[in-house]
Protein backbone atom coordinates (compact mmCIF):
# COMPACT_ATOMS: atom_id res chain seq x y z
CA UNK A 1 0.00 0.00 0.00
CA UNK A 2 1.32 3.43 -0.93
CA UNK A 3 1.91 5.85 1.92
CA UNK A 4 3.94 8.87 2.96
CA UNK A 5 5.52 9.04 6.42
CA UNK A 6 7.23 12.01 8.06
CA UNK A 7 10.67 11.25 9.45
CA UNK A 8 13.30 13.32 11.25
CA UNK A 9 16.98 12.85 10.43
CA UNK A 10 19.58 13.47 13.12
CA UNK A 11 22.86 12.32 14.61
CA UNK A 12 22.49 9.22 16.75
CA UNK A 13 22.96 9.56 20.52
CA UNK A 14 25.72 6.96 20.69
CA UNK A 15 27.44 7.28 17.30
CA UNK A 16 28.09 10.16 14.89
CA UNK A 17 26.20 8.63 11.97
CA UNK A 18 22.89 10.18 10.92
CA UNK A 19 19.76 8.13 11.51
CA UNK A 20 16.06 8.46 10.69
CA UNK A 21 13.19 8.08 13.12
CA UNK A 22 9.47 8.73 12.98
CA UNK A 23 8.41 12.32 13.65
CA UNK A 24 6.19 12.90 16.68
CA UNK A 25 2.74 14.47 16.58
CA UNK A 26 1.00 16.35 19.39
CA UNK A 27 -2.65 16.01 20.36
CA UNK A 28 -3.58 18.82 17.94
CA UNK A 29 -2.03 16.98 15.00
CA UNK A 30 0.93 19.33 14.70
CA UNK A 31 4.43 17.95 14.46
CA UNK A 32 6.44 18.30 17.68
CA UNK A 33 9.74 19.80 16.61
CA UNK A 34 12.75 18.49 18.50
CA UNK A 35 11.33 15.01 19.24
CA UNK A 36 11.52 11.58 17.60
CA UNK A 37 9.95 8.16 18.18
CA UNK A 38 12.27 5.31 19.18
CA UNK A 39 11.55 1.58 19.32
CA UNK A 40 13.43 -0.97 21.40
CA UNK A 41 14.58 -3.69 18.92
CA UNK A 42 14.26 -6.37 21.60
CA UNK A 43 10.93 -5.57 23.23
CA UNK A 44 9.28 -3.51 20.49
CA UNK A 45 8.39 -0.89 23.11
CA UNK A 46 8.09 2.61 21.70
CA UNK A 47 9.18 5.82 23.38
CA UNK A 48 9.35 9.52 22.57
CA UNK A 49 12.65 11.25 23.20
CA UNK A 50 13.96 14.80 22.81
CA UNK A 51 16.66 15.08 20.14
CA UNK A 52 17.10 18.86 20.02
CA UNK A 53 16.06 21.46 17.49
CA UNK A 54 17.14 22.33 13.95
CA UNK A 55 17.29 18.83 12.44
CA UNK A 56 15.93 18.24 8.90
CA UNK A 57 12.71 16.39 8.15
CA UNK A 58 12.30 13.84 5.37
CA UNK A 59 9.28 12.15 3.83
CA UNK A 60 9.53 8.39 3.38
CA UNK A 61 7.47 7.52 0.31
CA UNK A 62 6.45 3.87 -0.11
CA UNK A 63 4.99 3.36 -3.58
CA UNK A 64 6.31 0.16 -5.16
CA UNK A 65 9.65 1.02 -3.56
CA UNK A 66 10.92 3.30 -0.82
CA UNK A 67 12.43 6.73 -1.33
CA UNK A 68 13.13 9.63 1.04
CA UNK A 69 12.41 13.19 -0.01
CA UNK A 70 13.91 16.20 1.83
CA UNK A 71 11.27 18.35 3.58
CA UNK A 72 13.27 21.16 5.21
CA UNK A 73 13.63 22.04 8.89
CA UNK A 74 10.25 23.66 9.58
CA UNK A 75 7.82 21.18 11.09
CA UNK A 76 4.64 22.78 9.70
CA UNK A 77 6.01 23.01 6.14
CA UNK A 78 7.32 19.44 6.30
CA UNK A 79 3.93 18.07 7.38
CA UNK A 80 2.19 20.08 4.64
CA UNK A 81 4.53 18.52 2.05
CA UNK A 82 3.84 15.06 3.46
CA UNK A 83 0.10 15.59 3.21
CA UNK A 84 0.41 16.83 -0.38
CA UNK A 85 2.34 13.70 -1.34
CA UNK A 86 -0.21 11.55 0.49
CA UNK A 87 -3.05 13.17 -1.50
CA UNK A 88 -1.27 12.37 -4.79
CA UNK A 89 -0.61 8.78 -3.72
CA UNK A 90 -4.25 8.30 -2.74
CA UNK A 91 -5.45 9.72 -6.07
CA UNK A 92 -3.10 7.38 -7.94
CA UNK A 93 -4.37 4.37 -5.97
CA UNK A 94 -7.99 5.28 -6.75
CA UNK A 95 -7.11 5.65 -10.43
CA UNK A 96 -5.46 2.23 -10.49
CA UNK A 97 -8.44 0.68 -8.71
CA UNK A 98 -10.79 2.11 -11.32
CA UNK A 99 -8.56 0.86 -14.11
CA UNK A 100 -8.55 4.16 -15.96
CA UNK A 101 -8.94 7.90 -15.51
CA UNK A 102 -11.94 9.41 -17.32
CA UNK A 103 -11.96 13.12 -18.10
CA UNK A 104 -15.19 14.60 -19.46
CA UNK A 105 -14.23 17.48 -21.82
CA UNK A 106 -17.73 18.97 -21.55
CA UNK A 107 -17.47 19.01 -17.76
CA UNK A 108 -14.06 20.65 -17.90
CA UNK A 109 -15.39 23.26 -20.35
CA UNK A 110 -17.98 24.31 -17.80
CA UNK A 111 -15.09 25.63 -15.71
CA UNK A 112 -15.73 23.74 -12.47
CA UNK A 113 -13.69 25.23 -9.66
CA UNK A 114 -11.08 22.90 -8.22
CA UNK A 115 -10.91 23.07 -4.44
CA UNK A 116 -7.12 22.84 -4.46
CA UNK A 117 -6.93 25.96 -6.64
CA UNK A 118 -9.43 27.88 -4.50
CA UNK A 119 -7.60 26.92 -1.32
CA UNK A 120 -4.29 28.03 -2.84
CA UNK A 121 -5.84 31.43 -3.65
CA UNK A 122 -7.07 31.69 -0.04
CA UNK A 123 -3.57 30.89 1.26
CA UNK A 124 -2.01 33.46 -1.08
CA UNK A 125 -4.51 36.09 0.05
CA UNK A 126 -3.69 35.39 3.72
CA UNK A 127 0.00 35.90 2.93
CA UNK A 128 -0.66 39.23 1.22
CA UNK A 129 -2.79 40.37 4.18
CA UNK A 130 -0.03 39.44 6.59
CA UNK A 131 -2.31 36.88 8.28
CA UNK A 132 0.56 34.47 8.82
CA UNK A 133 -1.10 32.26 11.43
CA UNK A 134 -4.22 31.93 9.26
CA UNK A 135 -2.00 31.00 6.32
CA UNK A 136 -0.22 28.28 8.31
CA UNK A 137 -3.53 26.83 9.49
CA UNK A 138 -4.97 26.95 5.97
CA UNK A 139 -2.01 25.05 4.49
CA UNK A 140 -2.55 22.18 6.94
CA UNK A 141 -6.36 22.15 6.65
CA UNK A 142 -6.18 22.15 2.84
CA UNK A 143 -3.84 19.16 2.80
CA UNK A 144 -5.82 17.25 5.45
CA UNK A 145 -9.23 17.87 3.86
CA UNK A 146 -8.09 16.82 0.38
CA UNK A 147 -6.39 13.74 1.83
CA UNK A 148 -9.24 12.58 4.09
CA UNK A 149 -12.31 13.48 1.99
CA UNK A 150 -12.78 12.27 -1.57
CA UNK A 151 -13.70 15.56 -3.21
CA UNK A 152 -12.01 17.57 -5.96
CA UNK A 153 -14.43 20.32 -6.98
CA UNK A 154 -16.19 23.00 -4.97
CA UNK A 155 -19.62 21.89 -6.21
CA UNK A 156 -18.98 18.40 -4.76
CA UNK A 157 -18.79 19.65 -1.17
CA UNK A 158 -21.75 18.47 0.90
CA UNK A 159 -22.77 18.50 4.55
CA UNK A 160 -21.98 14.79 4.79
CA UNK A 161 -18.46 15.25 3.44
CA UNK A 162 -17.74 18.00 5.96
CA UNK A 163 -18.93 15.68 8.74
CA UNK A 164 -16.73 12.93 7.28
CA UNK A 165 -13.77 15.29 7.71
CA UNK A 166 -14.66 15.71 11.40
CA UNK A 167 -14.95 11.94 11.83
CA UNK A 168 -11.62 11.27 10.12
CA UNK A 169 -9.88 13.79 12.38
CA UNK A 170 -11.49 12.18 15.41
CA UNK A 171 -10.20 8.76 14.29
CA UNK A 172 -6.72 10.27 14.17
CA UNK A 173 -7.02 11.18 17.83
CA UNK A 174 -7.75 14.89 17.45
CA UNK A 175 -9.65 16.40 20.39
CA UNK A 176 -12.91 18.30 19.87
CA UNK A 177 -11.28 21.69 20.37
CA UNK A 178 -8.80 20.98 17.59
CA UNK A 179 -11.54 19.63 15.31
CA UNK A 180 -13.63 22.75 15.95
CA UNK A 181 -10.67 25.01 15.12
CA UNK A 182 -9.91 23.13 11.91
CA UNK A 183 -13.59 23.21 10.93
CA UNK A 184 -13.68 26.97 11.49
CA UNK A 185 -10.75 27.41 9.11
CA UNK A 186 -12.21 24.93 6.60
CA UNK A 187 -15.54 26.77 6.47
CA UNK A 188 -13.75 30.07 5.88
CA UNK A 189 -11.88 28.44 2.98
CA UNK A 190 -15.07 26.90 1.58
CA UNK A 191 -16.84 30.27 1.66
CA UNK A 192 -13.90 31.65 -0.31
CA UNK A 193 -14.49 28.85 -2.84
CA UNK A 194 -18.14 29.88 -3.17
CA UNK A 195 -19.66 26.99 -1.22
CA UNK A 196 -23.09 27.86 0.24
CA UNK A 197 -22.69 28.27 4.05
CA UNK A 198 -26.22 26.87 4.50
CA UNK A 199 -24.84 23.34 4.09
CA UNK A 200 -22.34 23.75 6.93
CA UNK A 201 -23.24 21.50 9.90
CA UNK A 202 -22.87 22.84 13.47
CA UNK A 203 -19.27 22.92 14.64
CA UNK A 204 -18.20 20.30 17.21
CA UNK A 205 -18.65 21.50 20.77
CA UNK A 206 -15.93 21.31 23.37
CA UNK A 207 -15.66 22.14 27.02
CA UNK A 208 -13.74 25.33 27.69
CA UNK A 209 -11.48 24.80 30.67
CA UNK A 210 -11.00 27.52 33.26
CA UNK A 211 -7.41 28.67 33.72
CA UNK A 212 -5.58 27.45 36.81
CA UNK A 213 -5.37 30.03 39.60
CA UNK A 214 -2.49 29.72 42.06
CA UNK A 215 -2.61 30.89 45.65
CA UNK A 216 0.13 33.23 46.98
CA UNK A 217 1.84 30.41 48.86
CA UNK A 218 1.88 28.29 45.69
CA UNK A 219 3.45 31.16 43.72
CA UNK A 220 6.04 31.67 46.46
CA UNK A 221 6.92 27.99 46.25
CA UNK A 222 7.11 28.25 42.46
CA UNK A 223 9.68 31.04 42.62
CA UNK A 224 11.70 29.24 45.29
CA UNK A 225 12.09 26.26 42.95
CA UNK A 226 12.74 28.36 39.83
CA UNK A 227 16.13 29.18 38.33
CA UNK A 228 16.75 32.73 36.97
CA UNK A 229 15.56 31.82 33.46
CA UNK A 230 12.32 30.32 34.77
CA UNK A 231 11.76 33.23 37.17
CA UNK A 232 12.09 35.70 34.28
CA UNK A 233 9.44 33.80 32.33
CA UNK A 234 7.12 33.63 35.34
CA UNK A 235 7.46 37.39 35.93
CA UNK A 236 6.75 38.21 32.26
CA UNK A 237 3.51 36.27 32.60
CA UNK A 238 2.55 37.42 36.12
CA UNK A 239 3.68 41.03 36.28
CA UNK A 240 2.95 41.95 32.65
CA UNK A 241 0.01 39.61 32.02
CA UNK A 242 1.51 38.27 28.78
CA UNK A 243 0.04 35.22 27.07
CA UNK A 244 2.22 32.16 26.47
CA UNK A 245 3.04 32.97 22.84
CA UNK A 246 3.58 36.63 23.69
CA UNK A 247 6.24 35.58 26.21
CA UNK A 248 7.80 33.21 23.66
CA UNK A 249 8.30 36.11 21.24
CA UNK A 250 9.04 38.89 23.76
CA UNK A 251 12.22 40.80 22.83
CA UNK A 252 14.32 43.35 24.62
CA UNK A 253 13.56 45.98 21.97
CA UNK A 254 9.87 45.69 22.93
CA UNK A 255 10.81 47.48 26.15
CA UNK A 256 10.81 51.26 26.40
CA UNK A 257 13.36 51.61 29.19
CA UNK A 258 12.84 55.30 29.92
CA UNK A 259 9.03 54.94 29.96
CA UNK A 260 9.04 51.58 31.77
CA UNK A 261 6.60 50.19 29.20
CA UNK A 262 6.42 46.87 27.35
CA UNK A 263 4.91 46.97 23.83
CA UNK A 264 3.09 43.83 22.64
CA UNK A 265 3.25 43.51 18.85
CA UNK A 266 3.33 40.92 16.07
CA UNK A 267 6.60 39.37 14.90
CA UNK A 268 6.35 38.47 11.18
CA UNK A 269 9.90 37.11 11.21
CA UNK A 270 8.67 34.41 13.62
CA UNK A 271 5.25 34.01 11.94
CA UNK A 272 3.65 35.31 15.14
CA UNK A 273 0.54 37.50 15.13
CA UNK A 274 -0.91 39.00 18.30
CA UNK A 275 -4.50 38.18 19.23
CA UNK A 276 -7.12 40.38 17.51
CA UNK A 277 -4.23 42.22 15.81
CA UNK A 278 -4.31 44.80 18.63
CA UNK A 279 -0.99 46.14 19.84
CA UNK A 280 -0.95 47.28 23.44
CA UNK A 281 1.37 48.90 25.95
CA UNK A 282 1.84 47.46 29.44
CA UNK A 283 3.44 49.36 32.33
CA UNK A 284 6.42 47.52 33.82
CA UNK A 285 6.78 47.64 37.63
CA UNK A 286 10.03 49.42 38.47
CA UNK A 287 11.41 46.49 40.46
CA UNK A 288 10.87 44.17 37.49
CA UNK A 289 12.33 46.76 35.10
CA UNK A 290 15.56 46.65 37.11
CA UNK A 291 15.53 42.84 36.91
CA UNK A 292 15.07 43.02 33.14
CA UNK A 293 17.96 45.47 32.81
CA UNK A 294 20.21 43.09 34.75
CA UNK A 295 18.96 40.12 32.67
CA UNK A 296 19.72 42.00 29.44
CA UNK A 297 23.19 42.91 30.69
CA UNK A 298 23.88 39.23 31.42
CA UNK A 299 22.68 38.18 27.94
CA UNK A 300 24.24 40.67 25.56
CA UNK A 301 23.61 40.01 21.88
CA UNK A 302 20.41 38.13 22.71
CA UNK A 303 17.21 39.46 21.11
CA UNK A 304 14.52 37.28 22.67
CA UNK A 305 14.16 37.60 26.43
CA UNK A 306 13.66 33.88 27.17
CA UNK A 307 14.84 31.97 24.07
CA UNK A 308 16.00 28.40 23.65
CA UNK A 309 19.71 27.60 23.87
CA UNK A 310 19.91 28.20 20.11
CA UNK A 311 18.19 31.58 20.28
CA UNK A 312 14.77 30.50 18.98
CA UNK A 313 11.34 31.11 20.58
CA UNK A 314 10.87 28.61 23.41
CA UNK A 315 7.60 26.79 22.67
CA UNK A 316 7.81 24.60 25.77
CA UNK A 317 7.47 27.26 28.47
CA UNK A 318 4.21 25.85 29.82
CA UNK A 319 5.72 22.37 29.96
CA UNK A 320 8.62 23.88 31.90
CA UNK A 321 6.18 25.49 34.33
CA UNK A 322 4.40 22.20 35.02
CA UNK A 323 7.76 20.54 35.61
CA UNK A 324 8.70 23.17 38.21
CA UNK A 325 5.30 22.80 39.88
Amino acid sequence: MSKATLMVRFEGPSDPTWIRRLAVYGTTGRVRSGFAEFEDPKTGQKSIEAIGENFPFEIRVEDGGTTCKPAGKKAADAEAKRLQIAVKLQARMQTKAAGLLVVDPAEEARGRLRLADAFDDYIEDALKRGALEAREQAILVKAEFLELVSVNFADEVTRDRILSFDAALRERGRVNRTIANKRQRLQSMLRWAGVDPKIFPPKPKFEKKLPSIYAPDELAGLFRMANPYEATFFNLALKLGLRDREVQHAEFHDISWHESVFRVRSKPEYHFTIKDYEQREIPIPLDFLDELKAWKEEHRGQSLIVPTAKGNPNRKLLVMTKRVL
Side-chain angles (χ1 to χ4, degrees):
M1 180 178 178
S2 300
K3 64 178 181 178
T5 307
L6 189 62
M7 313 291 291
V8 60
R9 186 168 174 263
F10 57 98
E11 291 181 278
S14 57
D15 66 69
T17 59
W18 285 68
I19 60 176
R20 296 182 179 91
R21 291 291 183 272
L22 291 173
V24 176
Y25 294 80
T27 56
T28 64
R30 296 195 178 202
V31 178
R32 294 180 62 189
S33 181
F35 291 85
E37 182 179 299
F38 288 75
E39 182 174 345
D40 189 311
K42 295 181 180 179
T43 65
Q45 184 175 0
K46 296 180 180 180
S47 62
I48 295 174
E49 299 180 18
I51 59 171
E53 303 282 346
N54 208 35
F55 286 116
F57 290 96
E58 293 185 348
I59 302 167
R60 184 176 67 197
V61 181
E62 299 174 58
D63 186 29
T66 302
T67 58
C68 287
K69 299 179 180 293
K73 294 184 177 181
K74 291 186 177 180
D77 292 346
E79 173 63 1
K81 289 179 182 178
R82 185 199 70 80
L83 288 167
Q84 289 172 354
I85 292 174
V87 169
K88 292 179 180 178
L89 291 175
Q90 184 182 42
R92 188 181 304 164
M93 289 171 59
Q94 291 173 344
T95 299
K96 288 181 179 179
L100 71 163
L101 177 63
V102 179
V103 177
D104 185 349
E107 181 179 69
E108 293 296 321
R110 288 198 296 270
R112 297 176 71 193
L113 178 63
R114 286 172 46 85
L115 274 179
D117 295 336
F119 289 169
D120 284 340
D121 289 343
Y122 178 97
I123 292 167
E124 180 67 20
D125 181 78
L127 177 63
K128 291 177 179 177
R129 291 186 289 109
L132 301 179
E133 187 172 353
R135 174 182 177 271
E136 181 179 337
Q137 292 172 354
I139 290 173
L140 291 175
V141 170
K142 170 204 168 185
E144 287 178 317
F145 186 70
L146 296 180
E147 178 192 17
L148 298 173
V149 181
S150 181
V151 56
N152 294 313
F153 297 96
D155 58 15
E156 294 176 335
V157 177
T158 63
R159 174 190 173 95
D160 185 63
R161 280 174 165 158
I162 295 173
L163 289 173
S164 295
F165 180 58
D166 293 350
L169 291 174
R170 197 169 290 111
E171 288 179 4
R172 288 190 167 186
R174 308 297 186 259
V175 297
N176 281 342
R177 185 187 187 98
T178 298
I179 296 172
N181 290 339
K182 288 182 181 293
R183 170 81 84 76
Q184 178 92 14
R185 183 60 55 192
L186 174 65
Q187 291 181 182
S188 178
M189 296 163 68
L190 292 176
R191 285 192 188 94
W192 177 274
V195 176
D196 188 350
K198 292 179 181 178
I199 72 167
F200 297 163
K203 291 196 293 288
K205 294 182 179 180
F206 58 91
E207 185 174 325
K208 295 183 179 180
K209 297 181 179 179
L210 292 173
S212 300
I213 299 177
Y214 299 102
D217 59 330
E218 291 177 308
L219 291 175
L222 182 69
F223 278 93
R224 281 196 301 270
M225 297 290 294
N227 60 38
Y229 178 94
E230 293 164 341
T232 301
F233 160 57
F234 297 154
N235 277 323
L236 286 169
L238 287 169
K239 295 188 176 182
L240 302 188
L242 299 182
R243 301 179 178 95
D244 178 38
R245 296 199 70 209
E246 291 172 346
V247 176
Q248 293 174 19
H249 299 90
E251 297 179 278
F252 287 115
H253 67 70
D254 294 324
I255 301 171
S256 175
W257 300 99
H258 68 283
E259 295 177 313
S260 191
V261 165
F262 184 88
R263 293 187 172 91
V264 181
R265 47 196 168 188
S266 298
K267 304 293 174 63
E269 65 272 25
Y270 295 117
H271 304 291
F272 167 65
T273 303
I274 56 177
K275 189 174 182 180
D276 299 326
Y277 300 93
E278 291 185 6
Q279 296 187 7
R280 64 189 192 278
E281 293 186 346
I282 303 172
I284 305 174
L286 292 179
D287 62 332
F288 186 40
L289 184 70
D290 291 338
E291 292 177 20
L292 287 171
K293 286 179 180 178
W295 185 253
K296 184 176 186 295
E297 185 67 20
E298 293 172 12
H299 299 83
R300 293 186 179 185
Q302 177 175 299
S303 176
L304 293 165
I305 299 176
V306 284
T308 64
K310 294 186 177 181
N312 299 317
N314 190 340
R315 309 194 188 283
K316 301 180 178 64
L317 293 173
L318 290 181
V319 175
M320 179 185 72
T321 304
K322 294 176 181 178
R323 187 181 67 246
V324 174
L325 288 170

